[in-house]
Amino acid sequence: EPEVTQTPSHQVTQMGQEVILRCVPISNHLYFYWYRQILGQKVEFLVSFYNNEISEKSEIFDDQFSVERPDGSNFTLKIRSTKLEDSAMYFCASSAGQGNDGYTFGSGTRLTVV
Amino acid sequence: DQQVKQNSPSLSVQEGRISILNCDYTNSMFDYFLWYKKYPAEGPTFLISISSIKDKNEDGRFTVFLNKSAKHLSLHIVPSQPGDSAVYFCAAKGFGNEKLTFGTGTRLTIIP
């Protein structure tokens, strides 16, 4: 079964530092997403990415966040200057097409900002 | 902004019985609904979905019912098995919209 791979599984960073979360989506998928879940809260949409550009983003995804697909396989989320409230599980997901797919999620990266 | 609500944070069901998980939504622009299952330290796993043009979709032990007039959907699992113990999220999306809006989840515990 193809899967979405995320690294690292856990990242601890100091407030104000930059972090890059990495994802390898399923190889034939075209749409890529980042979601996050703050502890005890619901899973929230951050951004979707298609054809090398952001197709949709939420109000959470401010100027501190950026996404990139630097090569044919990786999809990254960068947080420029982390804040304590960025501590959360970050999930990458991918889908084969826009529409009513059940997106495939990765296992997540737990980001802890201290 | 709770467009998708799961009012029961937890549910315990005897093994072999039916589990019914409920979800309500407020946004009438949602036209597709999905259920995900999540184990600790894993990402959400897609279970089953339903389009707004249907009122029922079945896949093995899982059935999703949609009541558009009540803006309510439910997931039925029958018979419930110990491996079904997990957190279940309902999610919704609008036509032509990519993002999923998730509920807060219901922790299902199957009692052997």
Side-chain angles (χ1 to χ4, degrees):
Chain A
E1 178 99 28
E3 56 181 34
V4 174
T5 305
Q6 289 187 245
T7 55
S9 56
H10 190 186
Q11 171 116 27
V12 181
T13 189
Q14 289 217 316
M15 192 168 57
Q17 295 295 303
E18 174 183 287
V19 293
I20 297 177
L21 309 183
R22 301 180 193 279
C23 170
V24 179
I26 292 172
S27 61
N28 64 344
H29 282 185
L30 301 175
Y31 294 82
F32 314 112
Y33 312 88
W34 283 100
Y35 286 76
R36 79 171 185 191
Q37 184 182 26
I38 294 171
L39 187 64
Q41 298 185 25
K42 60 182 178 178
V43 177
E44 299 173 292
F45 171 79
L46 291 178
V47 66
S48 58
F49 191 87
Y50 169 72
N51 200 24
N52 281 319
E53 60 183 25
I54 290 172
S55 47
E56 190 173 353
K57 61 182 182 179
S58 73
E59 58 277 5
I60 302 168
F61 194 88
D62 61 21
D63 291 344
Q64 293 299 312
F65 291 86
S66 62
V67 289
E68 198 177 33
R69 188 152 161 83
D71 52 43
S73 59
N74 290 285
F75 179 51
T76 62
L77 174 70
K78 183 194 291 187
I79 309 175
R80 254 180 280 283
S81 177
T82 49
K83 303 189 276 282
L84 294 176
E85 53 265 38
D86 294 327
S87 296
M89 280 291 287
Y90 287 80
F91 294 106
C92 173
S94 68
S95 67
Q98 186 184 31
N100 301 325
D101 298 90
Y103 311 161
T104 302
F105 282 84
S107 296
T109 293
R110 178 171 296 285
L111 176 66
T112 303
V113 183
V114 297
Chain B
D1 176 17
Q2 290 229 30
Q3 297 187 67
V4 179
K5 298 182 216 181
Q6 293 176 258
N7 291 320
S8 298
S10 63
L11 176 68
S12 294
V13 174
Q14 206 80 36
E15 180 180 359
R17 306 293 287 266
I18 184 170
S19 296
I20 300 176
L21 297 104
N22 294 303
C23 179
D24 297 293
Y25 62 97
T26 56
N27 189 340
S28 56
M29 299 302 289
F30 289 146
D31 74 332
Y32 202 77
F33 305 90
L34 307 92
W35 282 94
Y36 283 84
K37 175 180 179 180
K38 187 180 179 306
Y39 294 117
E42 293 185 16
T45 302
F46 171 71
L47 269 180
I48 192 169
S49 61
I50 188 166
S51 163
S52 61
I53 62 173
K54 295 186 172 182
D55 54 21
K56 178 182 173 182
N57 188 26
E58 195 171 348
D59 183 2
R61 295 187 299 116
F62 303 93
T63 303
V64 56
F65 295 92
L66 175 63
N67 182 334
K68 274 186 68 179
S69 60
K71 294 193 175 68
H72 176 83
L73 64 153
S74 61
L75 174 68
H76 291 210
I77 306 172
V78 55
S80 300
Q81 299 173 353
D84 295 331
S85 294
V87 178
Y88 289 77
F89 292 96
C90 81
K93 67 191 293 287
F95 178 75
N97 194 303
E98 297 169 60
K99 76 171 194 181
L100 295 178
T101 300
F102 281 85
T104 48
T106 296
R107 180 177 301 279
L108 176 65
T109 303
I110 305 302
I111 304 162

